[in-house]
Amino acid sequence: GTAPLVAVSGSTATGVARAGLLDTCVDGLDGVGVRVGCVQLAPHEGELPPWAAASVGRQLDLLDVADVLVCNAGHGVLAKALVRGVPMVCIPLAGDQKENAARAARAGAAVVIPPAKVTPHAVRDAVLRVLTDPTFAAAARRVADSAAGMGGPFAAEVTERALRA
């Protein structure tokens, strides 16, 4: 379809309560005219509406076409989204997630929902805010632009310079 695509990614951190993020998103986004896609580590149990899909696979393909990401703000998925210019709704649960989410919000690229306030309604409001306010996408693009050229070859070059020094 052509409706905005909301990517959903729960935490892969061991021991982090992540069950229900996709279902919460689907419940909250029902009827608002978006598509929901989720790539996860294990198959989704249960039925999804026709405008939502979940499968086992890599996040990158989904993030390349996503309009917004709902995630727990772990470093990996947050970095993948930001280097692609994808704005986010962050629901930090543990570890570095709270600080990562706060930094993305300070950059203007994310809305943060504290875990205790997560409801389908709160997710819907946050996703719609990110989708309808172009400043979030613009901020995420600015972050992506600032990271251009900083991939593997850049890291290797910096490492080699440091080793020579």
Side-chain angles (χ1 to χ4, degrees), residues 61-83:
D61 293 335
L62 183 59
L63 291 173
D64 284 340
V65 295
D67 295 292
V68 62
L69 169 67
V70 178
C71 67
N72 296 124
H75 178 265
V77 74
L78 189 116
K80 291 173 194 174
L82 286 175
V83 300

Side-chain angles (χ1 to χ4, degrees), residues 58-116:
R58 293 174 46 102
Q59 297 169 326
L60 300 182
D61 293 335
L62 183 59
L63 291 173
D64 284 340
V65 295
D67 295 292
V68 62
L69 169 67
V70 178
C71 67
N72 296 124
H75 178 265
V77 74
L78 189 116
K80 291 173 194 174
L82 286 175
V83 300
R84 286 166 175 75
V86 179
M88 292 167 281
V89 172
C90 298
I91 304 166
L93 296 176
D96 64 347
Q97 296 173 355
K98 186 175 180 181
E99 178 59 26
N100 295 342
R103 288 175 184 230
R106 280 194 304 271
V111 169
V112 179
I113 305 173

Side-chain angles (χ1 to χ4, degrees), residues 16-151:
V16 173
R18 60 184 171 271
L21 183 59
L22 175 58
D23 293 326
T24 299
C25 290
V26 167
D27 290 348
L29 297 170
D30 189 21
V32 300
V34 299
R35 298 172 293 147
V36 172
C38 181
V39 177
Q40 48 197 28
L41 297 176
H44 180 71
E45 295 182 17
E47 304 242 352
L48 292 172
W51 48 270
S55 76
V56 175
R58 293 174 46 102
Q59 297 169 326
L60 300 182
D61 293 335
L62 183 59
L63 291 173
D64 284 340
V65 295
D67 295 292
V68 62
L69 169 67
V70 178
C71 67
N72 296 124
H75 178 265
V77 74
L78 189 116
K80 291 173 194 174
L82 286 175
V83 300
R84 286 166 175 75
V86 179
M88 292 167 281
V89 172
C90 298
I91 304 166
L93 296 176
D96 64 347
Q97 296 173 355
K98 186 175 180 181
E99 178 59 26
N100 295 342
R103 288 175 184 230
R106 280 194 304 271
V111 169
V112 179
I113 305 173
K117 298 195 181 228
V118 173
T119 64
H121 181 81
V123 170
R124 180 186 68 235
D125 288 350
V127 166
L128 291 176
R129 181 175 170 209
V130 170
L131 286 174
T132 59
D133 182 345
T135 62
F136 290 101
R141 282 191 302 275
R142 279 193 307 276
V143 173
D145 290 345
S146 75
M150 293 188 154

